[in-house]
Amino acid sequence: MLTNRRSFLATVATAPAAGFLSLRMASAANRAAPPAGNLRIDGQRLRRHIEELSVFGRPPGGTFADGVTRIAYSDADIAARGFVLQRMKEAALDTRIDPAGNLIGVRAGEDARAPAILIGSHIDTVPNGGNFDGALGSLAAIEVARTLHDSGVKTTRPIEVVVWANEEGVAFGDGLCGSRAAVGEFKPAELDHVWNGVTKAEAIKAIGGDPSSIAAAQRQPGSVHCYVELHIEQGGILARAGIPIGVVEGIVAIHRYEAVIEGIANHAGTTPMAERRDALLAAAHLTISVRDVVTGRRGRQVGTVGQIAVSPNAPNVVPGLVRHSIELRDLSETTISEMAAEIEVAARRIAGETGTAVTLTQTSRHAGAPADPAVLESIEQSAALLGLEHLRMPSGAGHDAQMLARICPMGMIFVPSRDGISHSPAERTSWEDCSRGADVLLHTVLAMDGTTVRS
Ligand SMILES: [Zn+2]
């Protein structure tokens, strides 16, 4: 039997709330003439800034190719944040650090009261990480602001560049720290968590945040026009297809279940085949039914049985008890719950056929974050304007953007990762692809603002 069904039905029921914002966005986009394609970021400057940032956390005596270890709140992170603040100031941004330690640079719009367009990413890394994960999106956002400033382009809305604190979560074991605070998902009890001998409160203070007023980092729904993040794909789809721009449809939801199968443990030599209640045999059938259910419909959903425990786990005993995981991922939680219901039907049939009792329980549920249709369209139009081939795709990895999606329309731009490698010094995106991604970000910002740029 599936438990917790009520909770995911409730989630589905509340999901359409974003529709109101989408409509508002769509009308704003329609009002504006499409921006001319002449404006470009400075690719050489973007490259130089990525190379300069890579020095912070580089192994001693190493080069760019040796990658970077820049754990959030570390000395390398703090020094890198200083470098980023300087680049924000050079781009004429009005800088501050919010209570969660997020770095913010604001470019005023003509309408000071209009909700801002947020762009950015993170600069912390995993141990032995790469030079592009987070760094590209952060420095490209600053480059966009600098380009607008240097070209004298005025936008209606304010533009805020945000570098989110502790995205990776290597420190304190849970990530998206700054972006969670920005949407009110940061729990005050987290401030007492200890990592490497310091509390999270002390760590946030060390990067210039104010843990005592962390709630003030929260932004209210409706206060942000949209959030757009440029990021490396961290997978190999774009590189394999030879397509420079990925248009992210959303960040997938992940639901996990535990299947408990109770049979009867008995002597493997004396129990006739027809009299067995073999829990592992039932688990084998259930594993195949997970594959069949997931592949039985169109789409890019995936399902995995990846963990199993057999009891008593002996060669001469018919297995009496099996516990195994079932993980389902898709952009649509409705699709996931439909698949879970189909798996439940299969489990009942298998229990009947094998003389076992099968119980399915949901053990965890991470909500997905769909991209906003209007932002997604602006990204596609910008790529088309720049003559760049693009591909719609889901993100299987988590990003700060999934938090922002809770309070505002969200969109993400992916650029190719060479050989699909990430979280490694071997992480590479060609400089040309970095520039292309930043140009798409620039034109997406203009499109979402409704600004027309003429040559
Ligand atoms: Zn990242």
Side-chain angles (χ1 to χ4, degrees):
M1 168 191 92
L2 270 175
T3 52
N4 286 353
R5 176 175 288 159
R6 280 175 71 108
S7 68
F8 59 73
L9 279 179
T11 310
V12 170
T14 54
F20 159 73
L21 287 170
S22 313
L23 277 177
R24 210 158 54 79
M25 301 273 312
S27 66
N30 291 343
R31 209 174 50 234
N38 306 54
L39 205 57
R40 294 287 187 281
I41 61 99
D42 182 335
Q44 286 304 321
R45 186 167 56 201
L46 176 61
R47 173 182 179 166
R48 194 174 71 242
H49 288 164
I50 291 172
E51 287 175 338
E52 286 171 358
L53 180 64
S54 77
V55 170
F56 302 97
R58 177 178 292 178
T63 66
F64 187 80
D66 295 306
V68 65
T69 297
R70 195 163 54 232
I71 312 299
Y73 314 118
S74 66
D75 290 347
D77 184 43
I78 290 169
R81 288 163 55 87
F83 169 83
V84 165
L85 271 179
Q86 280 310 312
R87 302 292 79 72
M88 283 183 172
K89 287 183 176 131
E90 275 175 12
L93 294 169
D94 190 5
T95 61
R96 66 188 166 90
I97 300 177
D98 82 0
N102 298 315
L103 300 177
I104 297 169
V106 181
R107 183 170 192 267
E110 290 186 315
D111 181 354
R113 288 169 310 169
I117 294 172
L118 262 59
I119 51 175
S121 194
H122 62 97
I123 60 161
D124 66 311
T125 74
V126 295
N128 299 311
N131 294 312
F132 297 86
D133 177 0
L136 170 62
S138 301
L139 294 171
I142 296 172
E143 180 58 35
V144 164
R146 175 105 184 240
T147 302
L148 294 175
H149 176 74
D150 290 353
S151 318
V153 174
K154 290 188 167 65
T155 57
T156 306
R157 298 174 174 281
I159 293 167
E160 279 190 46
V161 176
V162 189
V163 175
W164 304 105
N166 192 11
E167 190 269 352
E168 296 287 1
V170 175
F172 299 97
D174 67 76
L176 308 180
C177 223
S179 54
R180 283 193 292 113
V183 302
E185 292 283 326
F186 187 100
K187 295 167 197 74
E190 285 182 44
L191 291 172
D192 300 326
H193 291 183
V194 177
W195 185 76
N196 271 2
V198 294
T199 63
K200 194 179 273 186
E202 288 163 340
I204 289 172
K205 216 179 271 177
I207 59 167
D210 178 9
S212 64
S213 62
I214 199 141
Q218 185 178 350
R219 294 163 188 261
Q220 298 305 321
S223 68
V224 175
H225 185 58
C226 64
Y227 175 71
V228 189
E229 181 168 350
L230 168 65
H231 204 281
I232 57 168
E233 181 197 335
Q234 300 181 284
I237 294 172
L238 292 173
R240 256 196 311 278
I243 294 176
I245 297 293
V247 183
V248 177
E249 296 171 289
I251 293 148
V252 298
I254 306 173
H255 291 200
R256 287 192 187 140
Y257 308 84
E258 184 188 49
V260 178
I261 304 171
E262 293 170 85
I264 293 179
N266 210 338
H267 197 292
T270 61
T271 315
M273 295 306 280
E275 289 173 25
R276 296 182 179 207
R277 296 182 171 205
D278 185 333
L280 184 54
L281 190 65
H285 284 294
L286 188 54
T287 302
I288 290 168
S289 79
V290 168
R291 193 271 318 265
D292 290 347
V293 163
V294 172
T295 56
R297 54 170 68 216
R298 291 159 67 92
R300 276 181 282 201
Q301 62 282 348
V302 291
T304 306
V305 174
Q307 193 173 45
I308 189 162
V310 180
S311 172
N313 203 23
N316 55 352
V317 185
V318 175
L321 180 70
V322 169
R323 292 172 187 274
H324 71 77
S325 62
I326 299 173
E327 187 197 83
L328 302 174
R329 298 188 186 213
D330 193 58
L331 283 173
S332 157
E333 300 214 40
T334 309
T335 299
I336 293 182
S337 358
E338 284 172 10
M339 293 193 298
E342 288 174 33
I343 292 167
E344 188 191 3
V345 170
R348 264 193 244 114
R349 175 178 51 76
I350 292 163
E353 287 166 2
T354 55
T356 58
V358 183
T359 313
L360 300 184
T361 310
Q362 190 171 58
T363 51
S364 71
R365 178 188 158 279
H366 291 283
D372 179 81
V375 182
L376 205 140
E377 250 169 60
S378 292
I379 294 170
E380 284 182 331
Q381 283 165 9
S382 301
L385 182 82
L386 294 159
L388 299 172
E389 214 184 328
H390 50 88
L391 177 73
R392 286 193 180 202
M393 59 192 299
S395 170
H399 295 288
D400 290 308
Q402 77 198 58
M403 282 299 135
L404 274 293
R406 297 182 183 208
I407 59 151
C408 68
M410 172 277 280
M412 284 191 82
I413 303 157
F414 274 175
V415 286
S417 293
R418 193 181 72 189
D419 300 326
I421 296 172
S422 182
H423 283 187
S424 152
E427 183 180 276
R428 285 288 179 286
T429 295
S430 75
W431 297 117
E432 195 182 10
D433 283 339
C434 290
S435 287
R436 287 163 163 167
D439 276 329
V440 173
L441 178 65
L442 168 68
H443 284 279
T444 302
V445 165
L446 293 173
M448 291 308 297
D449 184 63
T451 305
T452 305
V453 181
R454 293 188 184 81
S455 51

